[in-house]
Amino acid sequence: SIGNLLKVNSTLKTLDISHNTLNEKGVRAFSSSLKENQSLNSLNCMNTNLSSDMARQIVDGIKVHDNFFLVNFACNRIGDSAMNTFSEWIKNSKTLKTLELAQNNISKEGANILSNGLKESKSLVSFNLSRNQIGSEGGKSIAEVIKKNTILSVLNLTSNSLELSGVSCIAEAMQENKTIDSLNLWGNNMTRKA
């Protein structure tokens, strides 16, 4: 199994398990093996049917050695309830450079929680939160990140229903930001007021 492979292999750096359906039992074993593996530094879990609990378990495994620079959790069903775990990880990691959380049913509550970790991140340079439902209130939380974070350079907020008020807050925050050089706001109903 992949879990056994990770326990004994010390050369594997990148693992792509995307587009596979994972289950609770398999994720528990996978998380356990991540805690033992010290060589892996890039993980793609895109479209693997991860729930909040399953994602939390994987992050718990990743955090042990803090050597991951790229992790892709896009196109799952993680939702808001795992965002405390993600926020703490983002805040404390010294190696995480790219995090993909696109299309995960994250709402304004999740964006608010994530913003706490993002404000204090010392490593994350690329963050994809596209195709969620953070809305204008979540956009305001992300605007605070833009004001305070001095590392982030790529931010993708495509299709988040930010509407005019959320986009306005982000545009205002960008006037203070000196590091973001790529901002994607495509498909956010900018003509509609919240």
Side-chain angles (χ1 to χ4, degrees):
S1 76
I2 294 202
N4 290 334
L5 168 71
L6 291 177
K7 287 179 181 179
V8 298
N9 186 294
S10 61
T11 58
L12 187 65
K13 304 281 186 219
T14 301
L15 180 61
D16 185 341
I17 57 172
S18 63
H19 301 280
N20 285 289
T21 302
L22 301 180
N23 61 37
E24 298 271 346
K25 182 180 175 186
V27 167
R28 270 193 305 278
F30 183 57
S31 174
S32 175
S33 65
L34 284 171
K35 291 174 183 175
E36 294 181 37
N37 183 288
Q38 294 185 39
S39 64
L40 201 63
N41 57 29
S42 176
L43 178 62
N44 187 351
C45 293
M46 179 181 182
N47 196 21
T48 52
N49 196 40
L50 293 178
S51 66
S52 288
D53 187 52
M54 292 161 75
R56 263 194 298 269
Q57 289 178 53
I58 291 173
V59 170
D60 286 343
I62 288 171
K63 290 190 309 188
V64 170
H65 298 292
D66 191 32
N67 54 341
F68 282 79
F69 69 87
L70 184 149
V71 182
N72 186 348
F73 283 106
C75 303
N76 282 292
R77 51 189 181 89
I78 297 171
D80 294 333
S81 63
M83 291 306 108
N84 281 319
T85 300
F86 277 84
S87 184
E88 282 299 310
W89 173 40
I90 292 166
K91 175 182 160 185
N92 296 319
S93 177
K94 293 174 179 62
T95 60
L96 184 64
K97 301 286 183 212
T98 301
L99 179 60
E100 301 278 337
L101 284 176
Q103 203 169 334
N104 266 296
N105 301 318
I106 298 168
S107 74
K108 64 183 178 185
E109 287 84 9
N112 187 43
I113 295 165
L114 281 170
S115 71
N116 295 323
L118 288 164
K119 286 177 202 170
E120 298 184 45
S121 173
K122 302 292 186 244
S123 66
L124 194 67
V125 294
S126 179
F127 183 55
N128 185 349
L129 193 60
S130 66
R131 290 180 163 74
N132 282 290
Q133 302 97 27
I134 69 169
S136 59
E137 290 302 312
K140 291 174 185 172
S141 295
I142 298 299
E144 289 303 310
V145 170
I146 292 169
K147 289 178 186 176
K148 293 186 167 111
N149 184 293
T150 59
I151 303 291
L152 198 63
S153 66
V154 177
L155 179 59
N156 188 341
L157 299 171
T158 298
S159 297
N160 262 296
S161 300
L162 297 176
E163 298 179 343
L164 185 59
S165 62
V167 171
S168 295
C169 288
I170 288 168
E172 186 178 307
M174 283 298 293
Q175 293 176 22
E176 297 178 34
N177 186 284
K178 304 291 184 235
T179 59
I180 295 177
D181 57 24
S182 177
L183 175 63
N184 192 334
L185 296 173
W186 179 86
N188 272 296
N189 302 321
M190 289 186 219
T191 57
R192 202 160 99 210
K193 293 182 181 180

